[in-house]
C-alpha cells in the first residue's frame, strides 16, 4: 500500500524510480483503485498530424507461467513494412485476473518500449483500450504510462455490445457499454468475425478506425499486432533472442 500511496501522491503522472517494482507488488484490490484513478487521465483528443510510423505490441506466455515475452514491431504505415523491433522477456508476480491483465503485462512492455530506439507515432496493442469495464484496458493504461498515442485491437469483447455488421471488410458498428461508446466492432476481413478496436490514449475514435483500416491486409488481425504476435511467440519458443534490431 505504501508504493500505491506514493504513486497517488505523484498525481498518477510520474512513475516511481523503478516502475517495474510498483507493478510487481501492487495487490488486485489496489490495482482496481488505480484503474479508477487513472481513468481521469484519459485523453481522446484527435491526433494533430497524420502518423507515418505505427507499431504493434503483443505478449506471449504459457498459462500458469510467470514468464512474459513481449514484442513491439514498428512499421511504416504507408507500406506496412517493418522498420524495427524490440523483444524482451521478464517475470511477473501479478496473478492472471481478467480486467487486470495490464498489471501483468506493463513491466515487460515498459522494458520493450524503452529499448525501442525508433518510436512509432501510434502504438497498437493486442487488447482493449477504453472498451473495458473501468475504461482501462492495456492500451489505455500503457498509453497513459508512456504518454503516447495508443489503440487497442482485441479479438473478443470484454464489455458492451453492438448491432449486426455487414459482411464485407470495413463494415463497422459502435460498441456500446451502459449507453457510452467505448469502441468499434470492425469487420477486418469479409465474412469473418469482427475485431474490436478502441482508442487507448491521446487519439480519437476516428483516428483509431482510420489507422486500424490502414493496417489491415488479407488477414483478420492488423499487420501490426499480427507481426508482434509472431515475434512474441518466437521469443517464447526460443526461436528469437531478446534485444533491439533495426530492419535495413
Amino acid at each position: 500500500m505504501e508504493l500505491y500511496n506514493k504513486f497517488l501522491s505523484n498525481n498518477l503522472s510520474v512513475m516511481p524510480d523503478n516502475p517495474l517494482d510498483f507493478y510487481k507488488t501492487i495487490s488486485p484490490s489496489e490495482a482496481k483503485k488505480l484503474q479508477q484513478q487513472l481513468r481521469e487521465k484519459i485523453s481522446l483528443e484527435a491526433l494533430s498530424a497524420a502518423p507515418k510510423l505505427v507499431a504493434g505490441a503483443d505478449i506471449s506466455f504459457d498459462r500458469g507461467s510467470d514468464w512474459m515475452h513481449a514484442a513491439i514491431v514498428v512499421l511504416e504505415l504507408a507500406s506496412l513494412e517493418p522498420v524495427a523491433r524490440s523483444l524482451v522477456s521478464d517475470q511477473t508476480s501479478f496473478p492472471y485476473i481478467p480486467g487486470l491483465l495490464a498489471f501483468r503485462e506493463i513491466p515487460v512492455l515498459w522494458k520493450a518500449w524503452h529499448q525501442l530506439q525508433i518510436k512509432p507515432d501510434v502504438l497498437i496493442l493486442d487488447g482493449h483500450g477504453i472498451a473495458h469495464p473501468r475504461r482501462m484496458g492495456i492500451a489505455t493504461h500503457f498509453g497513459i504510462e508512456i504518454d503516447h498515442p495508443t489503440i487497442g485491437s482485441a479479438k473478443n469483447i470484454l464489455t458492451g455490445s453492438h448491432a449486426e455488421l455487414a459482411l464485407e471488410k470495413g463494415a463497422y458498428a459502435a460498441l456500446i457499454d451502459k449507453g457510452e461508446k467505448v469502441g468499434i466492432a470492425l469487420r477486418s476481413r469479409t465474412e469473418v468475425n469482427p475485431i474490436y478496436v478502441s482508442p487507448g490514449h491521446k487519439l480519437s475514435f476516428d483516428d483509431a478506425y482510420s489507422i486500424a483500416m490502414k493496417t489491415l491486409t488479407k488477414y483478420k488481425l492488423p499487420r501490426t499486432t499480427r507481426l508482434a504476435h509472431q515475434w512474441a511467440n518466437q521469443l517464447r519458443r526460443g526461436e528469437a533472442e531478446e534485444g533491439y534490431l533495426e530492419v535495413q
Side-chain angles (χ1 to χ4, degrees), residues 3-211:
L3 279 173
Y4 175 69
N5 288 332
K6 177 182 177 183
F7 199 65
L8 289 182
S9 71
N10 284 333
N11 295 320
L12 302 175
S13 62
V14 179
M15 292 294 293
D17 291 340
N18 187 347
L20 308 186
D21 287 344
F22 175 76
Y23 280 99
K24 290 180 178 180
T25 57
I26 190 172
S27 72
S29 61
E30 290 168 345
K32 289 181 180 180
K33 292 177 183 177
L34 178 57
Q35 286 183 329
Q36 296 288 7
Q37 295 289 334
L38 284 175
R39 184 171 177 173
E40 299 177 6
K41 300 289 183 179
I42 298 171
S43 170
L44 299 182
E45 298 255 340
L47 291 170
S48 59
K52 296 181 179 179
L53 295 178
V54 64
D58 195 15
I59 288 177
S60 180
F61 63 94
D62 291 317
R63 187 64 64 90
S65 170
D66 60 358
W67 275 98
M68 314 290 285
H69 309 278
I72 299 179
V73 182
V74 182
L75 299 84
E76 289 183 347
L77 184 55
S79 66
L80 294 182
E81 289 300 314
V83 172
R85 67 173 179 268
S86 176
L87 306 180
V88 173
S89 296
D90 192 24
Q91 285 182 289
T92 182
S93 57
F94 196 88
Y96 182 93
I97 301 174
L100 296 178
L101 297 185
F103 293 89
R104 285 174 59 83
E105 298 177 353
I106 278 180
V108 69
L109 283 172
W110 182 272
K111 285 186 173 182
W113 176 260
H114 285 280
Q115 179 176 257
L116 200 61
Q117 297 176 32
I118 298 177
K119 295 292 197 289
D121 299 308
V122 175
L123 177 65
I124 303 176
L125 293 96
D126 180 49
H128 292 282
I130 64 168
H132 178 281
R134 290 175 291 280
R135 309 301 182 254
M136 196 54 56
I138 180 61
T140 300
H141 195 149
F142 194 59
I144 291 172
E145 299 297 24
I146 62 175
D147 191 29
H148 202 80
T150 54
I151 297 171
S153 174
K155 295 177 281 294
N156 300 296
I157 290 178
L158 183 60
T159 192
S161 60
H162 61 86
E164 288 292 324
L165 301 178
L167 295 178
E168 63 267 19
K169 178 179 179 178
Y172 67 95
L175 183 63
I176 305 296
D177 183 43
K178 298 177 181 177
E180 179 185 359
K181 182 179 179 180
V182 295
I184 301 163
L186 172 62
R187 188 84 67 188
S188 58
R189 187 179 178 190
T190 299
E191 298 184 351
V192 170
N193 288 337
I195 59 173
Y196 300 92
V197 175
S198 55
H201 184 51
K202 299 190 78 169
L203 44 67
S204 67
F205 282 96
D206 287 344
D207 289 329
Y209 174 79
S210 173
I211 294 169

Side-chain angles (χ1 to χ4, degrees), residues 213-231:
M213 285 297 299
K214 291 175 182 177
T215 64
L216 297 179
T217 58
K218 63 179 181 179
Y219 300 100
K220 176 178 178 176
L221 299 182
R223 180 163 166 79
T224 44
T225 47
R226 185 170 181 272
L227 288 180
H229 178 75
Q230 291 173 347
W231 279 109

